[in-house]
Amino acid sequence: MSTLPFPLVEDPDKFALERGRKLFAGQSEFVKGVVAMNGLPTPDRLEVCFAGRSNVGKSSLINALTGTKGLARASNTPGRTQEINFFTQGPELYLVDLPGYGYANAPVKVVEKWQRLLKEYLSGRQTLRRAFVLIDSRHGVKPVDAEIMKLLDSSAVTFQCVMTKADKVKANDRQKVLDQVRGALSKHPAAYPEIVLTSSEKGDGIPTLRSIIAHLE
């Protein structure tokens, strides 16, 4: 059985980059935080969602994508964000910030509630085009990341791996982590066969990710 190599995504051409720039030049606004399926906004546009464990840099990535500092707020208390947060990106797109996962101190009942809500959302949202699973470039795929990937597999939602904090890792160490991540992704049929390398702090990979999102229509 052959496995996909999961290469790093190639740099987009200038036309693709411009399309991404235009999409994210529009205004970004927080819409609402959702704790149950009946609270979801009307599915009147495409949406992409972002999933990641504690301290992976999810809020920083969303803020970097939109160019709006403080749009997605990083909590100092891991596990506080227990809602699915919706943001508009212009009139065409929802950016969806899924509840963080992998919090050692979260009560079992809270974790079960998150998992149930995530499963219902991922399985039932027809306008959802892609999930982006954020993986810390310093640590690679952890068991808790594999759990969310299994959930995406079972929900038949295509997900793409976005490596965060790439600027924090030396080139030699990065290759080891990439090899580990590729091995983990190869076990998941819903995994999109390209990896995006990003640094929200330096801006690396952000135009590429904007371009990818803009071409999901």
Side-chain angles (χ1 to χ4, degrees), residues 18-47:
E18 178 61 12
R19 188 172 175 183
R21 187 198 67 78
K22 282 184 176 179
L23 174 62
F24 282 89
Q27 190 169 4
S28 310
E29 293 183 345
F30 174 70
V31 180
K32 66 189 303 190
V34 175
V35 295
M37 288 294 285
N38 59 12
L40 291 176
T42 304
D44 58 357
R45 64 193 75 191
L46 298 183
E47 57 194 66

Side-chain angles (χ1 to χ4, degrees), residues 43-197:
D44 58 357
R45 64 193 75 191
L46 298 183
E47 57 194 66
V48 297
C49 67
F50 299 86
R53 66 177 183 268
S54 170
N55 299 322
V56 76
K58 186 153 51 73
S59 297
S60 297
L61 183 77
I62 292 172
N63 292 339
L65 277 171
T66 60
T68 308
K69 188 175 181 180
L71 180 70
R73 291 183 176 85
S75 173
N76 291 326
T77 307
R80 179 184 287 174
T81 305
Q82 300 170 19
E83 303 173 334
I84 298 178
N85 290 313
F86 280 78
F87 305 90
T88 55
Q89 179 53 56
E92 304 171 19
L93 181 69
Y94 279 129
L95 302 175
V96 185
D97 185 4
L98 298 182
Y101 56 84
Y103 302 107
N105 297 327
V108 173
K109 286 186 178 180
V110 171
V111 173
E112 288 175 349
K113 183 180 178 183
W114 289 345
Q115 290 175 338
R116 189 162 55 248
L117 178 60
L118 282 178
K119 193 165 188 177
E120 289 175 355
Y121 167 72
L122 293 170
S123 300
R125 195 68 170 172
Q126 294 181 343
T127 47
L128 179 61
R129 283 295 178 272
R130 186 169 297 177
F132 293 98
V133 176
L134 278 53
I135 301 296
D136 193 319
S137 294
R138 300 170 298 180
H139 306 305
V141 175
K142 299 285 190 181
V144 70
D145 298 311
E147 288 300 314
I148 196 75
M149 292 175 187
K150 286 179 187 174
L151 182 57
L152 289 159
D153 287 338
S154 63
S155 304
V157 175
T158 299
F159 70 87
Q160 187 161 11
C161 174
V162 177
M163 306 285 290
T164 62
K165 307 184 183 182
D167 59 305
K168 308 292 186 188
V169 183
K170 295 177 182 177
N172 291 341
D173 295 330
R174 181 189 298 168
Q175 191 56 51
K176 292 177 186 175
V177 174
L178 278 171
D179 288 343
Q180 187 263 356
V181 169
R182 286 170 174 141
L185 291 175
S186 68
K187 301 172 185 175
H188 296 281
Y192 189 81
E194 289 181 333
I195 295 171
V196 188
L197 205 60

